[in-house]
Amino acid sequence: MYQQKIKEVLAEIGKVVVGQESLINRILIGLFTGGHILLEGVPGLAKTLSINTISQVLQLDFRRIQFTSDLLPSDLIGTMIYKPKVGDYEVKKGPIFANIILADEVNRSPAKVQSALLEAMQEKQVTIGDTTYKLDKPFLVLATQNPVEQEGTYPLPEAQLDRFMMKVHLDYLNRAEELEVMRRMADLNFKYVPQPLLSKEDIFKIREEVNKVNISETLERYIIELVFATRRPMEYNFKEEARYIQFGVSPRATIHLNLAAKALAYMEGRNYVLPEDIKEVVPDIMNHRILLNYEAEADDIRTSHIIDSILSKIAIG
C-alpha cells in the first residue's frame, strides 16, 4: 500500500540530499521498525541535513542535541523549575521530547547523561522529579560519534551500544556526488523546501505492514546460525574467528536481523524476505555487538573481517 509512497519519499529527500542512500535507507528502516541507529563518520557528510530533511518529509518533530563534557541529564530530559509567584514547581521538558533526536557526538558526554538517554531509548519514557512522562511516538534516536577526534570522549558501554539496532559507517561521496554538492552549495540562491508526503499515522500503518512480511522458517534458522556462529565459533569449526572473538552478539541482534530484513524487503516492494535482505543488514546490526580481544587488535583484525568470514561460511538451509 505504501511502497510506492516510500519511493516518492526517497525521491523527495534526494532533491535536498546528494548521495548517502545507505544512510537514508537505514534511517527509514529504523523508523519502520522502532530501532535506534548509531552513525559513525567524519564531519561534513550531511548527517544533520539528511535527518532534518527526512523529518520534514515525514512531518515529524526533530531536535538536534550537541553532547558535550559538561552536559547534564536535565539539559536532555528537562527539569523542575520553581515559580515564586505560584509557590510551586513547574516541569520544563527538555529536547528529548521529539520524534527524531540527533544526539551529536554522543560519546563526548559522561555516563550520567548517557544513562538518561538509555532510559529514553529503551523504555520510551523519562522521569522528571517523581513523575514519569511517555515520549512522543514514533521516537527514534540517531546518535553520532566521530572516529577521528578521540580526545575528551567517553566510550559507550556495551549495554548502551546494544540498544542501537544498527551502527552505520558513513564514507565520503564519490566524484559525481561531490561535484553535485559543490554546484548546489556554490549557488547561493539554491533553496528547496521538501514537501511533506507521509504522516505519523502513515508510519504506524507501515509498521503494521512490515510486521506482515513473510520470512520462511529456513531463513529464520539462517539468522540463528549466523548469531550462534559469533557466540560459539568452535562448534562450527571456525578456528580463526574463535581466536579473535571475545563475546558474540546478543539476542537483540537476532530480533533486529528479523525486523530489518522484513523492513528492507517491504521497501523493495516485496512481502517476503530473501537471503540477500538478511545479508545486507547483517554488517550494520552485528558490527557494534561483536567484541574482539586484544589479539585481534594486535593482528589488525576488525569486526568487518569476522562478519564477512561468517557470512561466507554459513550456508542457507
Side-chain angles (χ1 to χ4, degrees):
M1 178 180 177
Y2 286 94
Q3 291 159 331
Q4 179 58 39
K5 202 72 175 177
I6 291 173
K7 292 181 180 179
E8 295 174 15
V9 166
L10 293 171
E12 187 67 17
I13 294 170
K15 294 177 182 177
V16 179
V17 182
V18 178
Q20 302 299 2
E21 288 87 357
S22 178
L23 167 62
I24 294 165
N25 177 279
R26 296 316 190 244
I27 292 174
L28 291 179
I29 287 177
L31 273 172
F32 298 156
T33 59
H36 308 291
I37 298 173
L38 181 63
L39 308 173
E40 186 170 273
V42 297
L45 296 181
K47 296 186 288 289
T48 303
L49 177 64
S50 299
I51 298 165
N52 191 27
T53 304
I54 290 172
S55 66
Q56 291 181 60
V57 176
L58 302 184
Q59 302 183 69
L60 299 173
D61 294 327
F62 166 65
R63 296 287 185 278
R64 176 186 173 275
I65 306 169
Q66 179 63 53
F67 279 61
T68 57
S69 58
D70 59 350
L71 192 73
L72 298 173
S74 58
D75 297 327
L76 181 68
I77 65 174
T79 188
M80 305 283 290
I81 297 178
Y82 184 70
K83 297 286 186 179
K85 291 184 178 179
V86 183
D88 202 356
Y89 287 89
E90 180 180 281
V91 174
K92 179 178 173 62
K93 293 183 178 180
I96 197 74
F97 287 88
N99 300 123
I100 299 180
I101 301 296
L102 173 57
D104 220 353
E105 297 186 302
V106 67
N107 56 336
R108 290 200 177 278
S109 289
K112 272 189 176 181
V113 180
Q114 294 182 9
S115 297
L117 183 64
L118 190 66
E119 180 190 5
M121 290 170 60
Q122 184 65 21
E123 308 297 335
K124 306 294 192 298
Q125 64 183 30
V126 296
T127 303
I128 305 174
D130 296 327
T131 308
T132 298
Y133 298 89
K134 292 289 184 182
L135 295 170
D136 297 335
K137 294 181 180 180
F139 177 72
L140 179 69
V141 171
L142 301 165
T144 73
Q145 52 181 18
N146 192 327
V148 177
E149 300 171 11
Q150 292 301 322
E151 292 184 15
T153 60
Y154 302 81
L156 297 178
E158 287 78 10
Q160 184 160 339
L161 281 173
D162 195 42
R163 293 319 199 268
F164 288 98
M165 181 184 204
M166 296 181 179
K167 180 181 178 182
V168 180
H169 291 276
L170 304 179
D171 207 347
Y172 290 110
L173 302 175
N174 60 38
R175 287 178 174 82
E177 292 168 342
E178 193 90 12
L179 179 63
E180 179 61 24
V181 168
M182 181 180 68
R183 286 172 174 169
R184 286 190 188 183
M185 295 301 104
D187 181 0
L188 299 179
N189 295 320
F190 175 79
K191 186 175 182 181
Y192 181 80
V193 179
Q195 302 301 306
L197 295 176
L198 291 177
S199 64
K200 295 180 183 179
E201 292 71 23
D202 292 328
I203 292 174
F204 296 136
K205 290 176 182 177
I206 289 173
R207 287 184 177 183
E208 292 175 8
E209 294 189 2
V210 167
N211 195 47
K212 295 175 184 177
V213 172
N214 180 59
I215 180 168
S216 67
E217 185 177 344
T218 299
L219 292 183
E220 287 179 334
R221 294 188 180 277
Y222 177 57
I223 290 174
I224 297 299
E225 294 304 314
L226 290 172
V227 167
F228 271 74
T230 70
R231 298 176 188 168
R232 304 173 184 174
M234 286 305 294
E235 289 186 9
Y236 298 81
N237 201 29
F238 293 172
K239 296 179 181 178
E240 193 71 16
E241 292 77 5
R243 179 183 168 191
Y244 297 120
I245 296 176
Q246 185 173 357
F247 293 108
V249 301
S250 71
R252 282 196 185 92
T254 311
I255 298 166
H256 289 160
L257 280 171
N258 184 297
L259 289 172
K262 285 182 177 180
L264 185 60
Y266 180 83
M267 291 168 63
E268 293 287 336
R270 288 179 276 105
N271 64 351
Y272 56 90
V273 174
L274 294 175
E276 289 72 24
D277 299 322
I278 298 171
K279 291 178 180 179
E280 183 173 335
V281 298
V282 162
D284 293 331
I285 289 175
M286 284 192 175
N287 62 20
H288 59 297
R289 290 186 164 97
I290 296 176
L291 186 61
L292 303 183
N293 55 30
Y294 290 111
E295 191 172 352
E297 185 176 350
D299 292 347
D300 196 27
I301 298 296
R302 302 178 183 179
T303 53
S304 59
H305 301 146
I306 301 295
I307 292 169
D308 290 343
S309 178
I310 289 174
L311 281 172
S312 67
K313 294 177 181 178
I314 296 293
I316 301 171

